[in-house]
Amino acid sequence: MPKRVPSMPETLLWAPQAWVGGRWASQVLLQAGTDGCWTRVEPGVDMPPEGAQVLAGAVMPPLVDAHSHAFQRAFAGLAERRDSVSDDFWSWRDRMYGVALRITPAQLRAVAAHLYTELLAGGYTQVCEFHYLQHQPDGQPYADRAELMWALADAADEAGIGLTLLPALYERAGFAQPVLRPDQRRFFTSADDVLALQRAVRGAGRPLLDAGCAVHSLRAAWPASLARLASRSDGPLHIHVAEQQAEVRDCLAATGCRPIEWLLRHAAPDARWQLVHATHSMPSEVEGVAGCGAGVVLCPGTEANLGDGLPDLQGWLAHDVPLALGSDSQVTRSWPEELRWLDYAQRLLLQQRNVSARPGHEPSTASRLFQRVQAGGAAAAGFARWGLVDGARADLLVLDDDDDGLAGLPPSHRLDGVVFAAPARPFARVMVAGRWVALSDAGRRARHRAAMQALWASEA
């Protein structure tokens, strides 16, 4: 469980409306205790009590960004030109390694602090950082092997966002490549390295910071190392899986199984596990994931940008598999845009509308998807409770009801408007653990710009 904030004054809020229990409730009193968690969420309080902050707009829970590579924010927008006959995930990856080989700890902190501020403005208050950038540019370890993780932790602390660090097991370049490529030299970790990094983060005692573990992918880890990590780690365990068809073909050739099939047969995944992307699945694999309790993290903006393909969203929904959202490569940095991408892609595929709604039960596409990823994102970050409920961390979003995309909408359709009326920035204020956080910062923006200029000085 992520650590709570140090003792602070109690916070008392009153909102004209709030998203509580899957619906809009009126006249809601919210109280956060000295530990930064909700102690009272009570609809139907006609008048704000003395001392309560009266919020100007409706409030709702934020989401967890369940899959982030912060350093890739420095690459967003720099892979949108095509100079060869083919361009796909693998050519993008080779170009992305350019920034991975150059970025310094100070530059990573600057880029990440700017990104985390953007994610707060995009409605996220917790981010799961899938971290495989470990060593110095020459591949040698830093004196403190957690150097780059501390850069991310410092960035999150500066921005005011919660952070779940996920150091990643990364041992080889592929199923038939027993060592890493030269351009992957900053990535190497063993299972014991990952466990040591997790212990270091948890031992730091920083508020709003926790750690799980990750496996970069089946192709990047030896089966024995994956088993060792899974048996010795606690907390969330994330893995990239079945993102690309080439990955599926390689896994079949090397193991006789598809990637998700291999995990189900050999890794005994459970509710700790988060399968990131899981784009290319079979119905039997969907059933198997549902049976073991693992979750799936979808990254619609990145998956579209990289041409990954479309997940079996209807299968995951029908089998009640926990779902979460991730910003991944940072080409999109708000959850309303991710949810919009998620359903629109299915509409194009099936030539239908409101594909993710459940007529007669959950007619609102936005509501059904939001509630699923709210719960699934909490599990992906290691939270037992999340949202506007007693005992959850006191995080919330205040909507800007005057936003052009929301103004005049009936209150019952407000969440539909947040997702599908495409407001640019629907959130007026954001609270994390009972404290308001800044949604823009000139200093962070300037440091990000300076880091970008240093990284890309040679680009025309």
Side-chain angles (χ1 to χ4, degrees):
M1 176 70 178
K3 298 174 181 64
R4 297 183 174 187
V5 297
S7 182
M8 56 178 286
E10 290 189 347
T11 300
L12 191 63
L13 310 169
W14 186 90
Q17 284 199 316
W19 184 262
V20 179
R23 65 180 183 86
W24 290 108
S26 297
Q27 300 170 318
V28 180
L29 186 68
L30 303 109
Q31 185 169 18
T34 58
D35 61 354
C37 294
W38 296 121
T39 59
R40 184 181 180 188
V41 178
E42 182 180 351
V45 178
D46 294 344
M47 296 293 293
E50 183 178 354
Q53 298 179 49
V54 177
L55 303 179
V59 305
M60 63 182 301
L63 291 184
V64 170
D65 179 348
H67 188 67
S68 167
H69 303 299
F71 80 92
Q72 291 181 18
R73 177 64 181 88
F75 190 56
L78 289 165
E80 307 308 321
R81 299 182 181 185
R82 182 169 171 171
D83 299 317
S84 59
V85 174
S86 65
D87 192 12
D88 57 15
F89 168 86
W90 306 100
S91 55
W92 170 88
R93 186 187 73 160
D94 289 344
R95 294 195 296 273
M96 178 270 293
Y97 285 167
V99 68
L101 286 172
R102 294 200 301 276
I103 197 166
T104 68
Q107 289 167 343
L108 177 61
R109 174 174 175 171
V111 169
H114 178 70
L115 166 68
Y116 293 156
T117 302
E118 291 181 296
L119 293 176
L120 285 163
Y124 300 108
T125 58
Q126 183 79 18
V127 58
C128 297
E129 189 63 43
F130 194 111
H131 179 67
Y132 59 85
L133 186 63
Q134 306 289 357
H135 304 304
Q136 299 181 64
D138 64 1
Q140 294 300 307
Y142 287 98
D144 181 348
R145 289 179 178 253
E147 178 84 13
L148 291 170
M149 292 209 307
W150 299 135
L152 293 166
D154 290 344
D157 184 63
E158 180 183 346
I161 201 168
L163 181 65
T164 305
L165 277 166
L166 302 167
L169 174 64
Y170 206 138
E171 300 175 295
R172 59 182 182 172
F175 291 106
Q177 302 173 74
V179 297
L180 295 179
R181 295 172 12 176
D183 56 2
Q184 297 171 318
R185 59 185 178 270
R186 298 189 79 175
F187 306 160
F188 179 81
T189 50
S190 67
D192 287 341
D193 293 334
V194 172
L195 292 167
L197 289 168
Q198 182 190 36
R199 288 194 299 270
V201 172
R202 288 185 162 177
R206 296 195 187 194
L208 304 182
L209 177 66
D210 194 25
C213 293
V215 179
H216 180 272
S217 55
L218 289 181
R219 67 180 182 274
W222 294 105
S225 299
L226 187 156
R228 180 176 178 82
L229 183 64
S231 67
R232 299 194 174 209
S233 67
D234 60 356
L237 180 59
H238 293 223
I239 182 171
H240 292 134
V241 66
E243 181 178 3
Q244 286 286 321
Q245 289 282 18
E247 174 193 350
V248 176
R249 292 191 295 268
D250 288 350
C251 192
L252 273 168
T255 71
C257 295
R258 297 167 57 86
I260 299 174
E261 178 188 14
W262 190 95
L263 285 175
L264 292 169
R265 287 189 181 185
H266 300 289
D270 53 31
R272 294 176 303 152
W273 286 68
Q274 299 293 322
L275 310 187
V276 180
H277 302 302
T279 305
H280 303 288
S281 62
M282 301 293 288
S284 60
E285 295 170 336
V286 174
E287 292 176 4
V289 173
C292 73
V296 168
V297 181
L298 302 174
C299 309
T302 291
E303 290 154 6
N305 183 270
L306 300 181
D308 287 344
L310 295 176
D312 181 9
L313 179 61
Q314 299 312 299
W316 299 123
L317 288 171
H319 286 83
D320 291 324
V321 172
L323 299 178
L325 292 177
S327 63
D328 196 356
S329 69
Q330 318 306 340
V331 291
T332 56
R333 299 177 292 281
S334 74
W335 65 254
E337 185 173 4
E338 297 288 356
L339 279 189
R340 197 159 54 243
W341 268 105
L342 184 60
D343 198 66
Y344 277 1
Q346 299 292 318
R347 297 183 190 201
L348 290 168
L349 175 68
L350 300 174
Q351 300 180 49
Q352 299 176 19
R353 297 195 67 252
N354 288 307
V355 172
S356 302
R358 191 179 174 211
H361 299 276
E362 296 171 286
S364 166
T365 295
S367 174
R368 187 183 187 201
L369 289 177
F370 179 81
Q371 291 185 87
R372 292 295 295 273
V373 298
Q374 179 188 343
F383 287 95
R385 300 176 72 79
W386 185 266
L388 304 184
V389 294
D390 288 356
R393 197 173 73 194
D395 293 14
L396 62 73
L397 309 173
V398 180
L399 292 173
D400 180 1
D401 288 332
D402 290 329
D403 183 279
D404 289 341
L406 299 178
L409 284 179
S412 61
H413 288 261
R414 186 183 284 113
L415 185 55
D416 303 321
V418 168
V419 176
F420 293 112
R425 277 288 181 265
F427 310 120
R429 302 181 76 185
V430 175
M431 174 174 282
V432 180
R435 292 185 170 100
W436 299 111
V437 295
L439 299 184
S440 64
D441 185 279
R444 286 174 219 154
R445 189 180 297 112
R447 290 190 293 276
H448 169 75
R449 182 184 294 272
M452 290 290 286
Q453 289 172 341
L455 285 165
W456 303 110
S458 63
E459 292 289 321

